[in-house]
Amino acid sequence: METTVLRRRAFATGAAAVAVGALALAGLTGVASADPAQGATPTADRLSPGLLDALRRDLGLDATQAKARIADEHRAATVAAALERSLGADFAGARLSGGTAVLTVSTTDRSDVGRITAAGARAEVVAHSLGRLEAAQAALDAVARAKAPKDVPSWYVDISGNRLVVNVAVPRAADRLLAAAGVPRGLVRIERSDERPRALADLRGGDAYYMNGSGRCSIGFPVKRGTQNGFVTAGHCGTAGVTTSGVNQQAQGTFQGSTFPGRDYAWVATNGNWTPRPLVNGYGNGDVTVTGSTQAVAGSSVCRSGSTTGWHCGTIQQHNSSVTYPEGTITGVTRTSVCAEPGDSGGSFISGSQAQGVTSGGSGNCSQGGTTYYQPVNPALSAYGLTLVTSGAPTDPPTNPPTEPGGTWAAGTSYAAGATVTYGGVTYRCLQGHTAQAGWQPPNVPALWQRI
């Protein structure tokens, strides 16, 4: 099975597991400063019929189950982020499992178990911290950036197994890579794989666009940079200077920046005829509104929109994976069970109403199933100084943010609707889930924060 970029042309062995407090997230307690009166994620009752239909088809969930799961997954992301900060170097990852979306948080220190269960999650004690495994992965990445390894299609940190998994076509290929990177064999699980990843290539997320009048890819998410409108997409779809036309074959824009291989993101600046909307194409089943970009926990449901195969859903398998395409190695992508085909590249990955990333590459197809990787959207936004276009959120942070007056609010933190923070001696309640950015201090963004 060949795994490539698709561009259409015209948590452990030996670890002691402690399963304590196996609670579904519907019963979470002691979660940061969440407001219990808020209940389920506010957006759950307003989810796209198309997204719900795709979750029914691909995950076997009816509408009620899908809404409950998305609400649970949203809360899990908030709990996991808070525990990661609290546990520090002991943190060994978080994942969801089961139909009721049980959150498991791993740690290397048994004394952390009480703290984890008090937050409503299941605790697991393992041998290796996430930081140690990610450092080993980074060592492999460094070797691969110099020269893409032959017969090693992908590698990633498996949180449930508490190992760095290296997928290989030829077993000795893993030995060569590990030796070159200086990674201890005890941190690694080698698995045989026939994958041959490839990039998926052929202003609303999931819509088609065309590069220089030839190849076709899909829009990831509409963005803004200052007053300039545009969208993020996959880097392998085009290099800086490549022009694009839209789904209507009319002149659309130009690639301003592109990174591939290494990472797989790009952004296109569009002309005045294109207005960015906080939407993802539902392909006849209703568009999905984007309200933020909070990263979902591994095990969460995720859906993809692309111009070849429309809507398909699955689950997040591993974050921060590395994958080798014929063009080179890509790092920092997320591995999923969602299918995709040529032309879907660059298209939107979304969990509930939270933007997750843009389609990069994978293997298989939507007839027989496959594995697809997406480039997380937040690193792309950061790399190019872009702001995601969302419903009710500010289009851009202020150009001259004020001096921080102190408080619990912090840029880079993921906040769920109902969470409370202090800033400048005043308390604010979060109105919609988002990841805070510099300049989005609560007094500046009334669409996100309400003074209480």
Side-chain angles (χ1 to χ4, degrees), residues 78-96:
T78 301
V79 175
L83 284 171
E84 180 174 6
R85 292 191 298 270
S86 175
L87 299 180
D90 298 341
F91 181 73
R95 68 186 189 275
L96 293 178

Side-chain angles (χ1 to χ4, degrees), residues 275-346:
T275 301
R277 304 293 186 191
L279 301 172
V280 172
N281 191 341
Y283 283 94
N285 297 297
D287 293 341
V288 177
T289 300
V290 179
T291 64
S293 59
T294 298
Q295 178 177 284
V297 177
S300 296
S301 61
V302 68
C303 296
R304 178 194 55 72
S305 178
S307 59
T308 298
T309 60
W311 270 107
H312 285 276
C313 299
T315 58
I316 295 173
Q317 296 175 322
Q318 291 92 20
H319 289 298
N320 197 27
S321 298
S322 303
V323 58
T324 297
Y325 302 142
E327 298 88 346
T329 296
I330 313 300
T331 62
V333 291
T334 297
R335 178 185 174 99
T336 77
S337 64
V338 188
C339 69
E341 296 182 8
D344 288 328
S345 265

Side-chain angles (χ1 to χ4, degrees), residues 20-41 68-83 94-97 100-105 113-123 297 300 416-417:
V20 182
L23 305 177
L25 292 183
L28 283 178
T29 58
V31 179
S33 55
D35 184 351
Q38 293 293 320
T41 305
R69 175 161 180 156
I70 288 170
D72 286 347
E73 290 171 352
H74 183 81
R75 287 194 292 270
T78 301
V79 175
L83 284 171
R95 68 186 189 275
L96 293 178
S97 61
T100 55
V102 175
L103 174 64
T104 298
V105 175
V113 168
R115 194 184 321 178
I116 295 171
T117 56
R122 174 180 176 174
V297 177
S300 296

Side-chain angles (χ1 to χ4, degrees), residues 84 106 129 197 225 256 276 294 321 383:
E84 180 174 6
S106 300
S129 70
R225 184 175 181 180
Q256 301 298 301
T294 298
S321 298

Side-chain angles (χ1 to χ4, degrees), residues 292-450:
S293 59
T294 298
Q295 178 177 284
V297 177
S300 296
S301 61
V302 68
C303 296
R304 178 194 55 72
S305 178
S307 59
T308 298
T309 60
W311 270 107
H312 285 276
C313 299
T315 58
I316 295 173
Q317 296 175 322
Q318 291 92 20
H319 289 298
N320 197 27
S321 298
S322 303
V323 58
T324 297
Y325 302 142
E327 298 88 346
T329 296
I330 313 300
T331 62
V333 291
T334 297
R335 178 185 174 99
T336 77
S337 64
V338 188
C339 69
E341 296 182 8
D344 288 328
S345 265
S348 324
F349 265 86
I350 189 165
S351 183
S353 64
Q354 299 296 307
Q356 297 298 307
V358 300
T359 304
S360 174
S363 58
N365 55 51
C366 289
S367 297
Q368 300 175 332
T371 297
T372 302
Y373 301 86
Y374 66 78
Q375 163 67 57
V377 68
N378 287 329
L381 300 177
S382 177
Y384 299 121
L386 306 172
T387 302
L388 185 69
V389 175
T390 61
S391 174
T395 55
D396 289 291
T399 55
N400 295 303
T403 301
E404 299 297 325
T408 61
W409 179 90
T413 303
S414 295
Y415 294 106
T420 58
V421 299
T422 58
Y423 186 85
V426 178
T427 301
Y428 296 85
R429 177 180 287 113
C430 181
L431 298 178
Q432 56 182 295
H434 67 285
T435 297
Q437 300 184 33
W440 286 14
Q441 292 87 346
N444 301 334
V445 284
L448 296 180
W449 294 99
Q450 179 183 44

Side-chain angles (χ1 to χ4, degrees), residues 2-9 196-202 216-217 234-238 259-265 323-330 333 340-346 358-364 371-373 375:
E2 185 181 12
T3 316
T4 66
V5 287
L6 300 185
R7 170 174 176 168
R8 175 144 302 176
R9 302 184 182 279
R196 295 187 179 276
R198 65 200 188 281
L200 305 175
D202 175 72
R216 171 168 61 84
C217 277
H236 71 263
C237 289
T259 301
F260 180 80
R263 302 302 290 267
D264 194 7
Y265 47 60
V323 58
T324 297
Y325 302 142
E327 298 88 346
T329 296
I330 313 300
V333 291
E341 296 182 8
D344 288 328
S345 265
V358 300
T359 304
S360 174
S363 58
T371 297
T372 302
Y373 301 86
Q375 163 67 57

